[in-house]
Amino acid sequence: MSRTYSPREMLEKLISFNTVSDQSNLALIAFVEDYLAGWGVPSRRVPDPTGQKAALHARIGPDADGGTVLSAHTDVVPVAGQNWSHDPFTAWADNGRLYGRGAADMKGFAATVLAKVPDFLSADLQVPVHIALSYDEETGCDGARRLIPEMLKQGPRPATVIVGEPTLMKVVTGHKGIVVLRTSITGHPVHSSQLHRGVSAISVAAKLIGWLDARTAENRAKADPDCPFEPPYTTLHCGTISGGQAHNITAQHCEFVTDIRLLPGDSASDWVAAYRAFIEDNVLPGVKAVSENCRIDISELANVPGLEEEAEGLAEPIARRLTGDNGRHVVVYATEGGLFQSHGLSTVVCGPGSIDQAHQPDEFIALDQLDRCAAFLDRLLMGMSRIAG
């Protein structure tokens, strides 16, 4: 039998694994596998194509449809370049807070769920609890994209999903989606005194970025004042750009990365198609008239759907009953919730800690948030045990 952990002890253990997205998460996954196996709980890995990362799925309770998925990602963002006061992968406590990379985003939820495994096992569950741990959420949700279909293919089918991103245990019922695009431009270099003979890749990039900014301005102008999101419209934003060789040469190369933050219900494919159409119809003909070697290439780096508010979903009333939270909460950052929902699973986002601490140096979670999450899970178990009782 595995040892028991408090949520704090389990969080300290999870923080000790360096699972920055460019690192393997297999050591953490192996620890969780061994911990679950010690309690007699089988689990199943879903590896990435390289074999260096894996998601994990475990089920506790009857082999029956229904029940709830408790979902968390195991990866964390980098610490390089941040001014940490202690080793970010050795948890430390101070003034009612536990510090360390991932404490809030989102190992706090994963730790509380895992610490509750003995309670899951001792409960008279009438429907199962699913534990779903993913990888690479921070870089595009690739882990959940592979995990969810495998989990559903193996069965049984859960009824609801709680994604434990940090919401201060408030019930979040909607979030924006995100598409990340890289635009690479090949121009025609000439001496800048002969500008008319060349194509500056930087100038082309400026035209494209101007188009993106104009679309954001249009969206702002027609935004629905009753939309709960802030800002209440889809945004198109250039975050990084690089290019050029010298001040007196028209740039042969320029590359920039854009994210489109979509209102739930907005079509990512429609926005990308409109961007491509502008390039094909209004930009490429002019640059290719100068040189056939000019190119504009677009690659998609990430595409995560938004979470739509559900009119009659099962997850929201359950989460509201367990938290007592009846407010309307939506967020503009993306989560894996939209992916679960796209597979027909009723989903909310609700977890311990504050998103204000995510990605920050000296990231922390208030210890009373772990207590609130543990109480939330206790109430969830009571409800799942009363169904047939």
Side-chain angles (χ1 to χ4, degrees):
M1 180 180 292
S2 286
R3 60 161 286 190
T4 58
Y5 288 81
S6 68
R8 172 178 170 173
E9 291 169 336
M10 182 62 76
L11 179 53
E12 290 172 345
K13 183 67 177 179
L14 297 186
I15 287 171
S16 72
F17 295 101
N18 179 350
T19 53
V20 171
S21 298
D22 63 357
Q23 304 291 315
S24 172
N25 74 333
L26 293 184
L28 183 151
I29 292 296
F31 162 74
V32 174
E33 285 175 324
D34 290 345
Y35 168 75
L36 293 173
W39 287 103
V41 177
S43 59
R44 180 171 178 270
R45 287 192 188 195
V46 180
D48 80 338
T50 71
Q52 296 303 304
K53 298 179 183 180
L56 194 73
H57 172 235
R59 188 186 77 246
I60 300 172
D63 184 10
D65 288 345
T68 298
V69 178
L70 302 174
S71 170
H73 62 81
T74 63
D75 61 313
V76 296
V77 296
V79 298
Q82 293 187 331
N83 184 23
W84 285 73
S85 61
H86 295 72
D87 175 8
F89 301 108
T90 301
W92 74 97
D94 183 52
N95 197 29
R97 299 170 174 176
L98 190 72
Y99 291 81
R101 175 54 89 218
D105 186 18
M106 61 177 294
K107 290 180 176 179
F109 183 73
T112 309
V113 169
L114 292 172
K116 283 292 178 182
V117 165
D119 295 330
F120 298 161
L121 290 167
S122 62
D124 182 21
L125 292 174
Q126 304 302 304
V127 288
V129 171
H130 296 258
I131 299 173
L133 302 179
S134 68
Y135 60 87
D136 282 0
E137 187 272 349
E138 300 288 0
T139 58
C141 295
D142 288 342
R145 208 179 302 275
R146 292 187 174 90
L147 172 62
I148 297 168
E150 287 296 316
M151 183 175 69
L152 296 178
K153 184 171 68 175
Q154 295 295 316
R157 184 179 181 86
T160 59
V161 180
I162 298 170
V163 178
E165 292 280 3
T167 68
L168 292 171
M169 296 307 299
K170 296 178 180 178
V171 181
V172 168
T173 56
H175 66 65
K176 287 188 175 183
I178 181 172
V179 178
V180 181
L181 303 175
R182 177 188 289 121
T183 303
S184 301
I185 303 159
T186 301
H188 182 61
V190 297
H191 194 283
S192 62
S193 65
Q194 299 176 320
L195 191 64
H196 62 294
R197 295 184 175 181
V199 172
S200 168
I202 291 175
S203 294
V204 173
K207 183 178 293 187
L208 300 183
I209 294 168
W211 183 88
L212 296 167
D213 288 344
R215 301 293 77 72
T216 298
E218 289 177 359
N219 293 342
R220 182 188 304 117
K222 62 184 182 184
D224 180 355
D226 294 326
C227 177
F229 289 89
E230 181 59 40
Y233 48 86
T234 291
T235 59
L236 299 87
H237 163 252
C238 172
T240 64
I241 187 169
S242 62
Q245 305 102 287
H247 74 89
N248 56 358
I249 304 173
T250 58
Q252 185 172 13
H253 298 291
C254 186
E255 179 177 286
F256 63 93
V257 177
T258 300
D259 74 21
I260 306 175
R261 301 278 175 164
L262 301 129
L263 288 176
D266 265 14
S267 167
S269 59
D270 285 353
W271 277 109
V272 175
Y275 181 47
R276 290 183 181 276
F278 173 73
I279 291 171
E280 292 287 339
D281 297 342
N282 297 280
V283 181
L284 272 179
V287 299
K288 283 194 170 291
V290 177
S291 172
E292 279 295 323
N293 293 324
C294 291
R295 297 173 52 89
I296 301 175
D297 297 302
I298 302 169
S299 56
E300 186 177 283
L301 305 183
N303 189 333
V304 181
L307 179 70
E308 297 194 49
E309 294 178 286
E310 300 172 356
E312 298 181 357
L314 295 174
E316 180 181 348
I318 291 173
R320 292 197 184 283
R321 185 171 66 250
L322 298 177
T323 61
D325 174 25
N326 291 313
R328 187 185 187 189
H329 308 292
V330 298
V331 295
V332 293
Y333 56 83
T335 80
E336 295 169 339
L339 287 170
F340 281 102
Q341 191 180 65
S342 71
H343 285 270
L345 300 175
S346 180
T347 303
V348 295
V349 181
C350 183
S354 170
I355 196 64
D356 292 344
Q357 305 308 321
H359 304 187
Q360 300 300 307
D362 286 357
E363 177 183 349
F364 69 84
I365 189 169
L367 290 172
D368 64 0
Q369 283 287 303
L370 296 181
D371 295 337
R372 289 184 61 188
C373 184
F376 171 89
L377 294 175
D378 287 340
R379 291 190 290 270
L380 176 66
L381 288 178
M382 288 177 62
M384 296 171 77
S385 300
R386 282 200 301 262
I387 290 173

